[in-house]
Amino acid sequence: MEETLVIIKPDGVKKQLVGEIITRFEKRGFKIKKLKMEQLREQTVKEHYAHLKEQVFFMDVVNFMTSGPVVVLILEGPNGVASVRQMVGATNPQDALPGTIRADYAFVSGSNIIHASDSLESAKIEIERFFGE
Ligand code: TYD
């Protein structure tokens, strides 16, 4: 069993996809351990995406992630980190496989609906960042 962190980004919330996305994970068998809706602070987003700070699109990502409320969840399941990433799909929705969340609901990397931790190590750090545990 592994825990992983998922964020339904501002575009996912605006498009009223929160229920559909959570349903996909629940139907797959993931357990929701924690769930909250909040407006992210700029500083939190900058920390979360620090690995992108040299990229030209960094401030676009920060502005996008603070453009409205997000839904943050901890999901638990077998091989949780990799399984959730598989369901999320590639960063660029045009490269994401059909049936993944990003392929089904998005077209561009800049608004790709959802975040999921990319390794067990990041999951631990991100759970601590967003839920303080
Ligand atoms: P990254 O951590 O590389 O990917 P992922 O979200 O799949 O773990 O990038 C974080 C976010 O930054 C990504 O979800 C969307 C945005 N982004 C862009 O807008 N353009 C890009 O070219 C890349 C690589 C990311």
Side-chain angles (χ1 to χ4, degrees):
M1 284 293 173
E2 280 174 16
E3 286 187 349
T4 190
L5 186 105
V6 166
I7 304 174
I8 303 174
K9 296 182 180 183
D11 55 336
V13 174
K14 281 188 192 117
K15 289 180 179 171
Q16 303 189 175
L17 293 171
V18 173
E20 274 189 50
I21 291 170
I22 291 176
T23 297
R24 284 182 178 226
F25 292 120
E26 284 199 304
K27 282 190 170 162
R28 180 90 189 266
F30 286 100
K31 198 167 168 188
I32 301 169
K33 299 301 294 273
K34 295 238 167 141
L35 171 68
K36 64 179 174 181
M37 178 179 258
E38 71 177 20
Q39 174 74 44
L40 295 180
R41 290 183 308 115
E42 185 174 317
Q43 191 50 40
T44 308
V45 176
K46 284 182 169 169
E47 270 171 36
H48 181 67
Y49 284 127
H51 60 289
L52 298 173
K53 65 176 185 291
E54 308 302 333
Q55 303 294 327
V56 285
F57 57 80
F58 181 63
M59 279 314 296
D60 292 337
V61 173
V62 173
N63 290 333
F64 167 65
M65 289 298 290
T66 54
S67 67
V70 299
V71 172
V72 194
L73 308 89
I74 300 174
L75 293 178
E76 184 189 68
N79 195 24
V81 172
S83 301
V84 169
R85 281 288 285 195
Q86 192 180 43
M87 289 173 72
V88 161
T91 306
N92 181 344
Q94 291 177 43
D95 296 331
L97 292 174
T100 60
I101 293 167
R102 283 171 171 168
D104 286 355
Y105 303 123
F107 284 113
V108 292
S109 303
S111 53
N112 60 7
I113 302 284
I114 186 164
H115 164 82
S117 308
D118 65 0
S119 67
L120 207 47
E121 196 190 2
S122 338
K124 284 203 177 73
I125 294 168
E126 292 175 2
I127 286 169
E128 162 77 30
R129 174 173 299 129
F130 289 97
F131 288 97
E133 56 185 58

